[in-house]
Coordinates of all heavy atoms in Angstrom, one line a residue:
M1 N 0.8 -1.2 0.0 CA 0.0 0.0 0.0 C 0.9 1.3 0.0 O 0.5 2.2 -0.7 CB -0.9 -0.1 1.2 CG -2.0 1.0 1.2 SD -3.1 0.7 -0.2 CE -4.5 1.5 0.3
N2 N 2.0 1.2 0.7 CA 2.9 2.4 0.8 C 3.5 2.6 -0.6 O 3.7 3.8 -0.9 CB 3.9 2.2 1.8 CG 3.4 2.3 3.2 OD1 2.4 2.9 3.4 ND2 4.1 1.7 4.2
T3 N 3.8 1.6 -1.3 CA 4.4 1.8 -2.7 C 3.4 2.5 -3.6 O 3.8 3.3 -4.5 CB 4.8 0.5 -3.3 OG1 3.7 -0.4 -3.4 CG2 5.9 -0.1 -2.5
V4 N 2.1 2.3 -3.4 CA 1.1 3.0 -4.2 C 1.1 4.5 -3.9 O 1.2 5.3 -4.9 CB -0.3 2.4 -4.0 CG1 -1.3 3.2 -4.7 CG2 -0.4 1.0 -4.4
Y5 N 1.2 4.8 -2.7 CA 1.2 6.2 -2.3 C 2.6 6.9 -2.7 O 2.5 8.0 -3.2 CB 1.1 6.4 -0.8 CG -0.3 6.1 -0.3 CD1 -0.5 5.2 0.7 CD2 -1.4 6.7 -0.9 CE1 -1.8 4.8 1.2 CE2 -2.7 6.4 -0.4 CZ -2.9 5.5 0.6 OH -4.2 5.2 1.0
I6 N 3.6 6.2 -2.6 CA 4.9 6.7 -3.1 C 4.9 6.9 -4.6 O 5.3 8.0 -5.1 CB 6.1 5.8 -2.7 CG1 6.2 5.8 -1.1 CG2 7.3 6.2 -3.4 CD1 7.2 4.8 -0.6
G7 N 4.3 6.0 -5.3 CA 4.3 6.1 -6.8 C 3.3 7.3 -7.2 O 3.7 8.0 -8.1
M8 N 2.2 7.4 -6.5 CA 1.3 8.6 -6.8 C 2.0 9.9 -6.4 O 1.8 10.9 -7.2 CB 0.0 8.4 -6.0 CG -0.8 7.3 -6.5 SD -2.3 7.0 -5.5 CE -3.0 8.5 -5.3
G9 N 2.8 9.9 -5.4 CA 3.5 11.2 -5.0 C 4.6 11.5 -6.0 O 4.7 12.7 -6.4
I10 N 5.3 10.6 -6.5 CA 6.3 10.8 -7.5 C 5.7 11.3 -8.8 O 6.1 12.2 -9.4 CB 7.2 9.5 -7.8 CG1 8.0 9.3 -6.5 CG2 8.0 9.7 -9.0 CD1 8.7 7.9 -6.6
A11 N 4.6 10.6 -9.2 CA 3.8 11.1 -10.4 C 3.4 12.5 -10.3 O 3.4 13.3 -11.2 CB 2.7 10.1 -10.7
A12 N 2.8 12.9 -9.1 CA 2.3 14.2 -8.9 C 3.5 15.3 -9.0 O 3.3 16.3 -9.6 CB 1.6 14.3 -7.5
L13 N 4.6 15.0 -8.4 CA 5.8 15.8 -8.4 C 6.3 16.0 -9.9 O 6.6 17.1 -10.2 CB 6.9 15.3 -7.5 CG 6.7 15.5 -6.0 CD1 7.8 14.8 -5.3 CD2 6.6 16.9 -5.7
L14 N 6.3 14.9 -10.6 CA 6.7 15.0 -12.0 C 5.8 15.9 -12.8 O 6.2 16.7 -13.6 CB 6.9 13.6 -12.6 CG 8.1 12.8 -12.2 CD1 7.9 11.4 -12.7 CD2 9.3 13.5 -12.6
W15 N 4.5 15.7 -12.6 CA 3.5 16.5 -13.3 C 3.6 18.0 -13.0 O 3.5 18.8 -13.9 CB 2.1 16.0 -12.9 CG 1.0 16.6 -13.7 CD1 0.6 16.5 -15.0 CD2 0.1 17.6 -13.1 NE1 -0.4 17.3 -15.3 CE2 -0.7 18.0 -14.2 CE3 0.0 18.2 -11.9 CZ2 -1.8 19.0 -14.0 CZ3 -1.1 19.2 -11.7 CH2 -1.9 19.6 -12.7
I16 N 3.8 18.3 -11.7 CA 3.9 19.7 -11.3 C 5.1 20.3 -11.9 O 5.2 21.4 -12.4 CB 3.9 19.8 -9.8 CG1 2.5 19.5 -9.2 CG2 4.4 21.2 -9.3 CD1 2.5 19.3 -7.7
S17 N 6.3 19.6 -11.9 CA 7.5 20.1 -12.4 C 7.4 20.3 -13.9 O 7.9 21.3 -14.5 CB 8.7 19.2 -12.1 OG 8.6 17.9 -12.7
F18 N 6.7 19.4 -14.6 CA 6.5 19.6 -16.1 C 5.7 20.8 -16.4 O 6.0 21.6 -17.3 CB 5.8 18.3 -16.6 CG 5.5 18.5 -18.1 CD1 6.5 18.4 -19.1 CD2 4.2 18.7 -18.5 CE1 6.1 18.6 -20.4 CE2 3.8 18.9 -19.8 CZ 4.8 18.8 -20.7
K19 N 4.7 21.1 -15.6 CA 3.8 22.2 -15.8 C 4.6 23.5 -15.5 O 4.5 24.5 -16.2 CB 2.6 22.2 -14.8 CG 1.6 21.2 -15.2 CD 0.9 21.6 -16.4 CE -0.3 20.7 -16.8 NZ -1.0 21.0 -18.0
M20 N 5.4 23.5 -14.5 CA 6.3 24.7 -14.2 C 7.3 25.0 -15.4 O 7.4 26.1 -15.8 CB 7.0 24.6 -12.9 CG 6.0 24.6 -11.7 SD 6.9 24.3 -10.2 CE 8.0 25.6 -10.1
H21 N 7.9 23.9 -15.9 CA 8.9 24.0 -17.0 C 8.2 24.6 -18.2 O 8.6 25.4 -18.9 CB 9.5 22.7 -17.3 CG 10.4 22.7 -18.5 ND1 11.6 23.5 -18.5 CD2 10.2 22.2 -19.7 CE1 12.1 23.3 -19.7 NE2 11.3 22.6 -20.5
R22 N 6.9 24.0 -18.5 CA 6.2 24.5 -19.6 C 5.8 26.0 -19.5 O 5.8 26.7 -20.5 CB 4.9 23.6 -19.8 CG 4.2 23.7 -21.1 CD 3.1 22.7 -21.2 NE 2.7 22.6 -22.6 CZ 1.7 21.8 -22.9 NH1 1.1 21.1 -22.1 NH2 1.4 21.7 -24.2
R23 N 5.4 26.4 -18.3 CA 5.1 27.8 -18.1 C 6.2 28.7 -18.4 O 6.1 29.8 -18.9 CB 4.5 27.9 -16.7 CG 3.9 29.3 -16.4 CD 3.2 29.3 -15.1 NE 2.1 28.4 -15.1 CZ 1.7 27.7 -14.0 NH1 2.4 27.9 -12.8 NH2 0.7 26.9 -14.0
Q24 N 7.4 28.3 -17.9 CA 8.6 29.1 -18.1 C 9.0 29.2 -19.5 O 9.3 30.3 -20.0 CB 9.8 28.6 -17.3 CG 9.7 28.7 -15.8 CD 10.7 27.9 -15.1 OE1 11.5 27.2 -15.6 NE2 10.8 28.2 -13.7
R25 N 8.8 28.1 -20.3 CA 9.1 28.1 -21.7 C 8.2 29.0 -22.5 O 8.5 29.7 -23.4 CB 9.1 26.6 -22.2 CG 9.5 26.6 -23.7 CD 9.6 25.1 -24.1 NE 8.3 24.5 -24.0 CZ 8.1 23.2 -24.3 NH1 9.1 22.4 -24.8 NH2 6.9 22.7 -24.2
R26 N 6.9 29.0 -22.0 CA 5.9 29.8 -22.7 C 6.2 31.3 -22.7 O 6.0 32.0 -23.6 CB 4.6 29.5 -22.0 CG 3.4 30.5 -22.5 CD 2.1 30.2 -21.9 NE 2.2 30.0 -20.5 CZ 1.3 29.4 -19.8 NH1 0.2 29.0 -20.3 NH2 1.4 29.3 -18.5
R27 N 6.8 31.7 -21.6 CA 7.1 33.1 -21.5 C 8.3 33.5 -22.4 O 8.4 34.7 -22.8 CB 7.6 33.4 -20.0 CG 6.4 33.4 -19.1 CD 6.8 33.8 -17.7 NE 5.8 33.4 -16.8 CZ 6.0 32.8 -15.6 NH1 7.3 32.5 -15.3 NH2 5.1 32.4 -14.8
K28 N 9.2 32.5 -22.7 CA 10.4 32.8 -23.4 C 10.3 32.5 -24.9 O 11.1 33.1 -25.7 CB 11.6 32.1 -22.8 CG 11.9 32.4 -21.4 CD 13.0 31.5 -20.8 CE 13.2 31.9 -19.4 NZ 14.2 31.0 -18.8
K29 N 9.5 31.6 -25.3 CA 9.6 31.0 -26.7 C 8.2 31.3 -27.4 O 7.2 31.4 -26.8 CB 9.9 29.5 -26.7 CG 11.1 29.1 -26.1 CD 12.2 29.2 -27.0 CE 13.5 28.6 -26.3 NZ 14.6 28.7 -27.1
V30 N 8.3 31.3 -28.7 CA 7.1 31.3 -29.6 C 7.4 30.6 -30.9 O 8.6 30.5 -31.2 CB 6.7 32.8 -29.8 CG1 7.7 33.5 -30.7 CG2 5.3 32.9 -30.4
I31 N 6.4 30.1 -31.5 CA 6.5 29.4 -32.8 C 6.8 30.4 -33.9 O 6.2 31.5 -34.0 CB 5.3 28.6 -33.1 CG1 5.2 27.4 -32.2 CG2 5.2 28.1 -34.5 CD1 6.2 26.4 -32.3
D32 N 7.6 30.0 -34.9 CA 7.9 30.8 -36.1 C 7.7 29.9 -37.3 O 8.2 28.7 -37.2 CB 9.3 31.4 -36.0 CG 9.6 32.3 -37.2 OD1 8.7 33.1 -37.6 OD2 10.6 32.2 -37.8
V33 N 7.2 30.4 -38.4 CA 7.0 29.6 -39.6 C 8.0 30.0 -40.6 O 8.1 31.2 -40.9 CB 5.5 29.8 -40.1 CG1 5.3 29.0 -41.4 CG2 4.5 29.5 -39.1
L34 N 8.7 29.0 -41.2 CA 9.6 29.2 -42.2 C 8.7 29.0 -43.5 O 8.5 27.9 -43.9 CB 10.7 28.2 -42.2 CG 11.6 28.2 -40.9 CD1 12.6 27.1 -40.9 CD2 12.3 29.6 -40.9
E35 N 8.3 30.1 -44.2 CA 7.4 30.0 -45.3 C 7.9 29.2 -46.4 O 7.2 28.6 -47.1 CB 7.0 31.5 -45.7 CG 6.2 32.2 -44.7 CD 6.0 33.6 -45.1 OE1 6.3 34.0 -46.2 OE2 5.5 34.3 -44.2
R36 N 9.2 29.2 -46.7 CA 9.8 28.5 -47.8 C 9.7 27.0 -47.6 O 9.6 26.3 -48.7 CB 11.2 28.9 -48.0 CG 12.2 28.6 -46.9 CD 13.6 29.0 -47.2 NE 14.5 28.6 -46.1 CZ 14.7 29.3 -45.0 NH1 14.0 30.4 -44.8 NH2 15.5 28.8 -44.0
N37 N 9.5 26.5 -46.4 CA 9.4 25.1 -46.2 C 8.0 24.6 -46.0 O 7.7 23.5 -46.1 CB 10.2 24.7 -44.9 CG 11.6 24.8 -45.0 OD1 12.2 25.0 -46.1 ND2 12.4 24.6 -43.9
C38 N 7.0 25.6 -45.8 CA 5.7 25.2 -45.6 C 5.0 24.8 -46.8 O 5.0 25.5 -47.8 CB 4.9 26.5 -45.0 SG 3.2 26.1 -44.6
S39 N 4.3 23.6 -46.8 CA 3.6 23.1 -48.0 C 2.2 23.4 -47.9 O 1.5 23.1 -48.9 CB 3.8 21.6 -48.0 OG 3.1 21.0 -47.0
G40 N 1.7 24.0 -46.9 CA 0.2 24.3 -46.8 C -0.7 23.1 -46.4 O -1.8 23.1 -46.8
C41 N -0.1 22.2 -45.8 CA -0.9 20.9 -45.5 C -1.9 21.1 -44.4 O -2.8 20.2 -44.2 CB 0.0 19.8 -45.2 SG 1.0 20.0 -43.7
R42 N -1.8 22.1 -43.5 CA -2.7 22.4 -42.5 C -2.6 21.5 -41.2 O -3.4 21.6 -40.3 CB -4.1 22.5 -43.0 CG -4.4 23.6 -43.9 CD -5.9 23.6 -44.3 NE -6.2 24.9 -44.9 CZ -6.2 25.0 -46.3 NH1 -5.9 24.0 -47.1 NH2 -6.5 26.2 -46.8
R43 N -1.6 20.6 -41.2 CA -1.5 19.7 -40.0 C -1.3 20.5 -38.7 O -1.8 20.2 -37.7 CB -0.4 18.7 -40.2 CG -0.7 17.7 -41.3 CD 0.5 16.8 -41.4 NE 0.2 15.8 -42.5 CZ 1.1 15.0 -42.9 NH1 2.2 14.9 -42.3 NH2 0.8 14.2 -43.9
C44 N -0.4 21.5 -38.8 CA 0.0 22.3 -37.7 C -1.2 23.1 -37.1 O -1.4 23.3 -35.9 CB 1.1 23.2 -37.9 SG 0.9 24.3 -39.3
V45 N -2.0 23.6 -38.1 CA -3.1 24.5 -37.7 C -4.2 23.7 -37.0 O -4.8 24.1 -36.0 CB -3.7 25.2 -39.0 CG1 -5.0 25.9 -38.7 CG2 -2.7 26.1 -39.7
K46 N -4.4 22.5 -37.5 CA -5.4 21.6 -36.9 C -5.0 21.1 -35.5 O -5.8 20.9 -34.6 CB -5.6 20.3 -37.7 CG -6.3 20.6 -39.1 CD -6.5 19.5 -39.9 CE -7.1 19.8 -41.2 NZ -7.1 18.6 -42.1
K47 N -3.6 20.9 -35.3 CA -3.1 20.4 -34.0 C -3.0 21.5 -32.9 O -3.0 21.1 -31.8 CB -1.8 19.7 -34.3 CG -1.2 19.0 -33.1 CD -2.1 17.9 -32.7 CE -1.5 17.1 -31.5 NZ -2.4 16.1 -31.0
C48 N -2.9 22.8 -33.3 CA -2.6 23.8 -32.3 C -3.8 23.9 -31.3 O -4.9 24.3 -31.7 CB -2.4 25.1 -33.0 SG -2.0 26.4 -31.8
P49 N -3.6 23.7 -30.0 CA -4.7 23.7 -29.0 C -5.1 25.1 -28.8 O -6.3 25.4 -28.3 CB -4.1 23.0 -27.8 CG -2.7 23.2 -27.9 CD -2.3 23.2 -29.4
R50 N -4.3 26.1 -29.0 CA -4.6 27.5 -28.7 C -5.1 28.3 -29.9 O -5.4 29.5 -29.8 CB -3.4 28.2 -28.1 CG -2.9 27.6 -26.8 CD -3.8 27.9 -25.7 NE -3.3 27.5 -24.5 CZ -3.8 27.7 -23.4 NH1 -5.0 28.3 -23.3 NH2 -3.3 27.2 -22.2
R51 N -5.1 27.7 -31.1 CA -5.5 28.4 -32.3 C -4.6 29.6 -32.6 O -5.1 30.7 -33.0 CB -7.0 28.8 -32.3 CG -7.9 27.6 -32.1 CD -8.0 26.7 -33.3 NE -8.9 25.6 -33.1 CZ -8.6 24.4 -33.2 NH1 -7.4 24.0 -33.5 NH2 -9.5 23.4 -33.0
A52 N -3.3 29.4 -32.4 CA -2.4 30.5 -32.7 C -2.0 30.6 -34.1 O -1.6 31.7 -34.6 CB -1.1 30.4 -31.8
L53 N -2.1 29.5 -34.8 CA -1.7 29.4 -36.2 C -2.9 29.6 -37.1 O -4.0 29.2 -36.8 CB -1.0 28.1 -36.5 CG 0.3 27.8 -35.8 CD1 0.7 26.4 -36.0 CD2 1.4 28.8 -36.3
E54 N -2.6 30.1 -38.3 CA -3.7 30.3 -39.3 C -3.1 30.1 -40.7 O -2.0 30.5 -40.9 CB -4.4 31.7 -39.1 CG -5.7 31.8 -39.8 CD -6.4 33.0 -39.5 OE1 -7.0 33.1 -38.3 OE2 -6.4 34.0 -40.2
M55 N -3.9 29.7 -41.6 CA -3.5 29.6 -43.1 C -3.8 30.9 -43.7 O -4.8 31.6 -43.5 CB -4.2 28.5 -43.8 CG -4.0 27.1 -43.2 SD -2.3 26.6 -43.1 CE -1.9 26.4 -44.9
V56 N -2.8 31.4 -44.5 CA -3.0 32.6 -45.3 C -2.5 32.3 -46.7 O -1.8 31.4 -47.0 CB -2.1 33.8 -44.8 CG1 -2.6 34.2 -43.5 CG2 -0.7 33.5 -44.7
E57 N -3.1 33.1 -47.7 CA -2.8 32.9 -49.1 C -2.3 34.3 -49.6 O -2.9 35.3 -49.4 CB -4.0 32.5 -49.9 CG -3.7 32.2 -51.4 CD -4.9 31.7 -52.1 OE1 -5.9 31.5 -51.5 OE2 -4.7 31.4 -53.3
D58 N -1.1 34.3 -50.1 CA -0.5 35.5 -50.7 C 0.2 35.1 -52.1 O -0.1 34.1 -52.6 CB 0.5 36.1 -49.7 CG 1.6 35.3 -49.3 OD1 1.7 34.2 -49.9 OD2 2.3 35.6 -48.4
E59 N 1.0 36.0 -52.5 CA 1.7 35.8 -53.8 C 2.6 34.6 -53.9 O 2.9 34.0 -55.0 CB 2.4 37.1 -54.3 CG 3.6 37.5 -53.4 CD 3.1 38.3 -52.2 OE1 2.0 38.8 -52.1 OE2 4.0 38.6 -51.3
T60 N 3.1 34.2 -52.7 CA 3.9 33.0 -52.7 C 3.1 31.7 -52.6 O 3.7 30.6 -52.6 CB 4.9 33.1 -51.5 OG1 4.2 33.2 -50.3 CG2 5.8 34.3 -51.7
G61 N 1.9 31.7 -52.3 CA 1.0 30.5 -52.2 C 0.4 30.5 -50.8 O 0.3 31.5 -50.1
I62 N -0.2 29.3 -50.5 CA -0.8 29.1 -49.2 C 0.2 28.6 -48.2 O 0.9 27.6 -48.5 CB -2.0 28.1 -49.4 CG1 -3.0 28.7 -50.3 CG2 -2.6 27.8 -48.0 CD1 -4.1 27.7 -50.6
H63 N 0.3 29.2 -47.1 CA 1.2 28.7 -46.0 C 0.6 29.1 -44.6 O -0.3 30.0 -44.5 CB 2.6 29.3 -46.2 CG 2.6 30.8 -46.2 ND1 2.6 31.6 -45.2 CD2 2.6 31.6 -47.3 CE1 2.6 32.9 -45.5 NE2 2.6 33.0 -46.8
A64 N 1.2 28.5 -43.6 CA 0.8 28.8 -42.2 C 1.5 30.0 -41.7 O 2.6 30.4 -42.2 CB 1.1 27.6 -41.3
T65 N 0.8 30.7 -40.8 CA 1.5 31.9 -40.2 C 1.0 32.0 -38.7 O 0.0 31.4 -38.4 CB 1.1 33.2 -40.9 OG1 1.9 34.2 -40.3 CG2 -0.3 33.5 -40.8
V66 N 1.8 32.6 -37.9 CA 1.4 32.8 -36.5 C 0.6 34.0 -36.4 O 1.0 35.1 -36.4 CB 2.7 32.9 -35.6 CG1 2.3 33.0 -34.1 CG2 3.6 31.7 -35.8
K67 N -0.7 33.8 -36.4 CA -1.7 34.9 -36.4 C -1.8 35.5 -35.1 O -1.9 36.8 -34.9 CB -3.1 34.4 -36.8 CG -4.2 35.4 -37.0 CD -4.0 36.2 -38.3 CE -5.3 37.0 -38.4 NZ -5.3 37.6 -39.7
Y68 N -1.7 34.8 -34.0 CA -1.9 35.2 -32.6 C -0.7 34.8 -31.8 O -0.8 33.8 -31.0 CB -3.2 34.8 -32.0 CG -4.4 35.1 -32.8 CD1 -5.0 34.1 -33.7 CD2 -4.9 36.4 -32.9 CE1 -6.1 34.4 -34.4 CE2 -6.1 36.7 -33.6 CZ -6.6 35.7 -34.4 OH -7.7 36.0 -35.2
P69 N 0.4 35.5 -31.8 CA 1.6 35.0 -31.1 C 1.4 35.1 -29.5 O 2.0 34.3 -28.8 CB 2.7 35.9 -31.5 CG 2.0 37.1 -32.1 CD 0.7 36.6 -32.6
D70 N 0.5 35.9 -29.1 CA 0.2 36.0 -27.6 C -0.5 34.7 -27.1 O -0.4 34.4 -26.0 CB -0.6 37.2 -27.3 CG -1.9 37.3 -28.1 OD1 -1.9 36.9 -29.3 OD2 -2.8 37.8 -27.5
R71 N -1.1 34.0 -28.0 CA -1.8 32.7 -27.6 C -0.9 31.6 -27.5 O -1.1 30.6 -26.9 CB -2.9 32.4 -28.6 CG -4.1 33.3 -28.6 CD -5.2 32.7 -29.5 NE -6.2 33.7 -29.7 CZ -7.2 33.5 -30.5 NH1 -7.2 32.4 -31.3 NH2 -8.2 34.3 -30.7
C72 N 0.3 31.6 -28.2 CA 1.2 30.5 -28.3 C 1.8 30.2 -27.0 O 2.4 31.1 -26.3 CB 2.3 30.8 -29.4 SG 3.4 29.5 -29.6
T73 N 1.8 28.9 -26.6 CA 2.3 28.5 -25.3 C 3.6 27.7 -25.6 O 4.2 27.2 -24.6 CB 1.4 27.6 -24.5 OG1 1.1 26.5 -25.3 CG2 0.1 28.4 -24.2
A74 N 4.1 27.6 -26.8 CA 5.3 26.9 -27.2 C 5.3 25.4 -26.7 O 6.2 24.9 -26.2 CB 6.6 27.6 -26.6
C75 N 4.1 24.9 -26.8 CA 3.9 23.5 -26.3 C 4.5 22.5 -27.2 O 4.9 21.4 -26.8 CB 2.4 23.2 -26.2 SG 1.5 23.2 -27.7
G76 N 4.7 22.8 -28.5 CA 5.4 22.0 -29.4 C 4.5 20.9 -30.1 O 5.0 20.1 -30.9
D77 N 3.2 21.0 -29.9 CA 2.3 20.0 -30.6 C 2.3 20.3 -32.1 O 2.3 19.3 -32.8 CB 0.8 20.3 -30.1 CG 0.7 19.8 -28.6 OD1 1.6 19.1 -28.2 OD2 -0.4 20.1 -28.1
C78 N 2.4 21.5 -32.5 CA 2.5 21.7 -34.0 C 3.8 21.3 -34.6 O 3.9 20.8 -35.7 CB 2.2 23.2 -34.3 SG 3.3 24.3 -33.5
L79 N 4.9 21.4 -33.8 CA 6.2 21.0 -34.3 C 6.2 19.5 -34.6 O 6.8 19.0 -35.5 CB 7.3 21.3 -33.2 CG 7.7 22.7 -33.0 CD1 8.6 22.9 -31.8 CD2 8.4 23.3 -34.2
D80 N 5.5 18.7 -33.7 CA 5.5 17.3 -33.9 C 4.7 16.9 -35.2 O 5.0 15.9 -35.8 CB 4.8 16.6 -32.7 CG 5.6 16.8 -31.4 OD1 6.9 17.0 -31.6 OD2 5.1 16.7 -30.3
K81 N 3.7 17.7 -35.5 CA 2.9 17.4 -36.7 C 3.5 17.8 -38.1 O 3.2 17.2 -39.1 CB 1.6 18.0 -36.6 CG 0.6 17.3 -35.7 CD 0.3 15.9 -36.2 CE -0.6 15.2 -35.3 NZ -0.9 13.9 -35.8
C82 N 4.4 18.8 -38.0 CA 5.0 19.3 -39.3 C 6.0 18.3 -39.8 O 7.1 18.0 -39.2 CB 5.6 20.6 -39.0 SG 6.2 21.4 -40.6
K83 N 5.8 17.8 -41.0 CA 6.7 16.9 -41.7 C 7.8 17.6 -42.6 O 8.6 16.9 -43.1 CB 5.9 15.9 -42.6 CG 4.8 15.2 -41.8 CD 5.4 14.2 -40.8 CE 4.3 13.4 -40.2 NZ 4.7 12.8 -39.0
F84 N 7.6 18.9 -42.7 CA 8.5 19.6 -43.6 C 9.4 20.6 -43.0 O 10.1 21.4 -43.6 CB 7.6 20.4 -44.6 CG 6.6 19.5 -45.4 CD1 5.3 19.4 -45.0 CD2 7.0 18.8 -46.5 CE1 4.4 18.7 -45.6 CE2 6.1 18.0 -47.1 CZ 4.8 17.9 -46.7
N85 N 9.6 20.4 -41.7 CA 10.5 21.3 -40.9 C 10.2 22.8 -41.1 O 11.1 23.6 -41.3 CB 11.9 21.0 -41.2 CG 12.3 19.6 -40.7 OD1 11.8 19.2 -39.7 ND2 13.1 18.9 -41.4
A86 N 9.0 23.2 -41.2 CA 8.6 24.6 -41.5 C 8.4 25.4 -40.2 O 8.1 26.6 -40.3 CB 7.3 24.6 -42.4
L87 N 8.4 24.7 -39.1 CA 8.2 25.4 -37.8 C 9.4 25.3 -36.9 O 10.1 24.3 -36.9 CB 7.0 24.8 -37.0 CG 5.6 24.8 -37.8 CD1 4.6 24.0 -37.0 CD2 5.2 26.2 -38.0
Q88 N 9.6 26.4 -36.1 CA 10.7 26.4 -35.2 C 10.3 27.3 -34.0 O 9.5 28.1 -34.1 CB 12.0 27.0 -35.8 CG 11.9 28.4 -36.3 CD 13.1 28.9 -37.0 OE1 14.1 28.2 -37.0 NE2 13.0 30.1 -37.5
L89 N 10.9 27.0 -32.9 CA 10.7 27.8 -31.7 C 11.8 28.9 -31.6 O 13.0 28.6 -31.8 CB 10.9 26.9 -30.4 CG 9.7 26.1 -30.0 CD1 10.0 25.2 -28.8 CD2 8.5 26.9 -29.7
I90 N 11.4 30.1 -31.4 CA 12.3 31.2 -31.3 C 12.0 32.0 -30.0 O 11.0 31.8 -29.4 CB 12.2 32.2 -32.6 CG1 10.8 32.8 -32.7 CG2 12.6 31.5 -33.8 CD1 10.7 33.9 -33.7
E91 N 13.0 32.8 -29.7 CA 12.8 33.6 -28.5 C 11.8 34.7 -28.7 O 11.7 35.3 -29.8 CB 14.1 34.3 -28.1 CG 15.2 33.3 -27.7 CD 15.0 32.7 -26.4 OE1 14.4 33.2 -25.5 OE2 15.3 31.4 -26.3
R92 N 11.0 35.0 -27.7 CA 10.0 36.1 -27.9 C 10.7 37.4 -27.9 O 11.8 37.6 -27.3 CB 9.0 36.1 -26.7 CG 7.9 35.0 -26.8 CD 6.9 35.3 -25.7 NE 6.0 34.2 -25.6 CZ 4.8 34.1 -26.3 NH1 4.5 35.0 -27.1 NH2 4.1 33.0 -26.1
I93 N 10.1 38.3 -28.6 CA 10.7 39.7 -28.7 C 10.1 40.6 -27.7 O 8.9 40.6 -27.4 CB 10.5 40.3 -30.1 CG1 11.2 39.4 -31.1 CG2 11.0 41.7 -30.2 CD1 10.9 39.7 -32.6

């Protein structure tokens, strides 16, 4: 029974530390789109939980852009979905 409580305590500590690390990263980083690599597949836009990305069409074609950088938490969900290396994390300005 004690091992269950110890395991639950360790899991809780890991969860709390992960949340704190994610919050610190959110303040420092934001997603940036490399337009030359973007194919317009919309995978990143669909995966973004905060709806920070949006598709735009201009003279170069259809590509993703960071429409609302203040919403971006730098969670990396969109980075995992991008197969064309069109997204990167950069320092906030």
Side-chain angles (χ1 to χ4, degrees):
M1 190 65 154
N2 287 337
T3 57
V4 172
Y5 290 127
I6 291 171
M8 288 173 50
I10 291 172
L13 286 174
L14 288 173
W15 183 75
I16 290 169
S17 66
F18 174 73
K19 288 291 186 180
M20 290 175 63
H21 173 70
R22 194 174 195 182
R23 190 172 297 144
Q24 289 172 350
R25 184 174 62 180
R26 173 179 44 200
R27 292 183 194 133
K28 297 177 183 176
K29 303 272 185 183
V30 69
I31 290 293
D32 183 45
V33 179
L34 303 172
E35 294 175 7
R36 66 182 180 275
N37 292 352
C38 183
S39 68
C41 67
R42 294 185 166 92
R43 289 181 187 174
C44 58
V45 175
K46 291 177 185 175
K47 187 63 177 173
C48 182
R50 300 286 187 178
R51 303 287 182 235
L53 296 169
E54 193 171 285
M55 297 303 291
V56 294
E57 185 174 359
D58 57 10
E59 62 275 351
T60 60
I62 297 176
H63 57 84
T65 186
V66 182
K67 182 78 171 192
Y68 306 103
D70 54 325
R71 291 185 189 174
C72 182
T73 61
C75 64
D77 289 346
C78 57
L79 287 171
D80 295 337
K81 282 296 180 180
C82 184
K83 304 292 184 200
F84 303 100
N85 296 325
L87 301 173
Q88 63 182 355
L89 281 174
I90 61 170
E91 296 292 324
R92 283 193 191 267
I93 299 172

